[in-house]
Amino acid sequence: MVRIPSCDKLNLKRGLCTAEEDAKVLAYVSKHRTSNWTSAPKKAGLRRCGKSCRLRRTNYLRPDLKHHNFTSQEEELIIRLHAAIGSRWAIIAQQLPGRTDNDVKNYWNTKLRRKLSEMGIDPITHKPFSQILADYGNIGGLPRSTKRIGSLSRDLKTSAYMKPEHYSNSAQGLFKGIDVDLSTPSLLLPETEPVMDKFMNGNVHQLNNNNSLNLLAQLQAMQLVTEASYCTFNEQIQPNFYAQGYLPSSSSSSSSSTTTATYRHSSSAFSWQDFLLEDSFLPSELPREHENIAEFPVNQTACQAENGISKEEMNKEISDYQYNRFEAMHCLAENNDIETSSSAENTFIETLLHQEDKILVDFLNLLEEPLYY
DNA sequence: AAAACCCACAACCGCGATCGG
DNA sequence: GCCGATCGCGGTTGTGGGTTT
């Protein structure tokens, strides 16, 4: 593919823009919109490449941009989203009105990353350094999989991963009253956050009316799907499942001793502990795909009453969901040689890779356009 | 006062994705 | 369907102002 010649080759101006150049860009945009940035500098009387002008406009001159410091709420959201989806700055920035991906990226690189490090938290894994070091003591060998998550997502995109409508619909129906849209790239669902608050805390308390937290809420909801699917409820989640009637109040359940601070959803002050990801590396129950699938949407009566669907429809949703989860995991295992056995037997790195891929499957619909045609 | 260092953030680069003829 | 042009994204670098020595 032919690349656009660099500014160097065309002897165009580089470096910081002057006020005069900004004015020309703004004047051009107001007159011609932003239909063609390649011809823009010439028409605007600028000796810069179109890309440079576009970036200047996108990252600095847009009228809706905020130029003041990040608030603690924004800070919190960035960290939480980074913990959930990594350095997808564009996606994160979409949840922060008036901020660009460049803003968020710079803020992360200059402030938040260091802040987390100073707190003893690894900004990449969002786990305490001490734990990482401890885990490294258990390294027994290198992972067999060499593909990383970036290529993995593309592999998944082209893999035979079908039945989108069933996947999204069924996953959506698994929690009564929780409006989690797993299919659309547009992630803003105004009612999600209150529902999640209610769900996680057992009551509806004062809500942060910042709708940008909806993505986070949905990520959390999706993570709940993961948690439920892998049958590793911890003590913070599980009581709420029972309290809210999502699980039968029958037998006592085993629960991990680890806390999942990610699920705490305070609307005001936050603790840095909140940004620690749950420790999935500790020995836990095996991923009992088949078992937990059968018991997952257990409170069928409640779900049916809530959603007005028949038992047969619900069973179909459940089985479709199971089928698609199995398909996705099967693709992952085939393409990436991922071991789905007990994480307790894996090395730290293997477990990390497995965990990332597992998360990817659940977040796939957030990160990508629908894969199906 | 000046050099060295630090920091924030604007700008650039290169790549993959998408568009459109 | 092909291919060049353009866009969007994430990683990295450059620049300028502030602080420290």
Side-chain angles (χ1 to χ4, degrees), chain A residues 97-368:
Chain A
R99 305 293 188 185
T100 68
D101 55 346
N102 212 33
D103 287 339
V104 176
K105 182 171 56 182
N106 282 333
Y107 192 66
W108 173 264
N109 286 331
T110 59
K111 294 268 183 64
L112 296 181
R113 199 166 58 175
R114 184 185 309 152
K115 211 167 181 175
L116 285 172
S117 294
E118 286 170 355
M119 296 297 296
I121 300 168
D122 177 25
I124 298 172
T125 62
H126 291 253
K127 293 164 68 66
F129 286 127
S130 57
Q131 189 186 326
I132 291 173
L133 289 172
D135 287 332
Y136 265 107
N138 297 325
I139 290 178
L142 292 173
R144 285 195 284 160
S145 172
T146 55
K147 288 187 180 182
R148 298 302 307 115
I149 198 161
S151 59
L152 174 62
S153 73
R154 291 191 181 83
D155 289 346
L156 273 171
K157 205 168 183 174
T158 54
S159 67
Y161 182 33
M162 306 303 287
K163 295 193 176 182
E165 69 286 358
H166 291 156
Y167 184 89
S168 57
N169 292 341
S170 56
Q172 210 162 8
L174 290 174
F175 297 103
K176 68 172 183 179
I178 296 182
D179 194 357
V180 181
D181 190 339
L182 301 173
S183 63
T184 170
S186 172
L187 300 162
L188 297 175
L189 295 170
E191 61 274 41
T192 301
E193 186 188 353
V195 170
M196 286 305 300
D197 262 332
K198 180 182 179 182
F199 181 72
M200 296 311 302
N201 301 321
N203 63 337
V204 182
H205 49 74
Q206 191 62 35
L207 297 170
N208 183 338
N209 61 7
N210 181 2
N211 284 340
S212 68
L213 285 173
N214 287 322
L215 172 60
L216 176 62
Q218 292 191 44
L219 288 167
Q220 291 172 327
M222 294 185 74
Q223 187 126 356
L224 284 173
V225 174
T226 308
E227 289 297 326
S229 174
Y230 284 87
C231 221
T232 56
F233 290 168
N234 62 37
E235 57 202 359
Q236 246 189 310
I237 296 176
Q238 209 161 23
N240 283 306
F241 270 80
Y242 289 103
Q244 298 295 315
Y246 298 106
L247 289 173
S249 58
S250 56
S251 60
S252 65
S253 51
S254 62
S255 62
S256 162
S257 62
T258 57
T259 57
T260 307
T262 309
Y263 299 116
R264 280 201 300 271
H265 196 187
S266 68
S267 58
S268 54
F270 61 90
S271 161
W272 286 97
Q273 292 292 316
D274 290 349
F275 305 124
L276 295 177
L277 290 181
E278 179 186 16
D279 180 9
S280 60
F281 304 122
L282 293 175
S284 59
E285 293 182 59
L286 300 183
R288 293 174 294 151
E289 278 290 321
H290 304 299
E291 288 179 53
N292 70 60
I293 277 167
E295 69 186 43
F296 179 47
V298 283
N299 195 343
Q300 293 195 5
T301 306
C303 293
Q304 285 170 242
E306 186 76 15
N307 300 324
I309 60 175
S310 69
K311 187 176 180 179
E312 287 72 25
E313 286 171 319
M314 172 159 285
N315 284 336
K316 183 177 185 310
E317 284 193 349
I318 294 167
S319 63
D320 285 342
Y321 176 68
Q322 294 163 4
Y323 169 81
N324 285 298
R325 282 199 60 80
F326 175 79
E327 283 289 299
M329 291 309 297
H330 182 66
C331 289
L332 284 172
E334 275 199 345
N335 293 338
N336 302 283
D337 195 21
I338 292 169
E339 300 221 9
T340 55
S341 59
S342 167
S343 62
E345 295 171 3
N346 291 344
T347 66
F348 168 75
I349 295 174
E350 282 174 326
T351 310
L352 188 64
L353 297 176
H354 182 198
Q355 173 73 2
E356 284 184 352
D357 292 336
K358 191 179 80 174
I359 290 172
L360 177 68
V361 172
D362 293 302
F363 288 170
L364 201 57
N365 290 296
L366 288 178
L367 304 178
E368 311 275 357

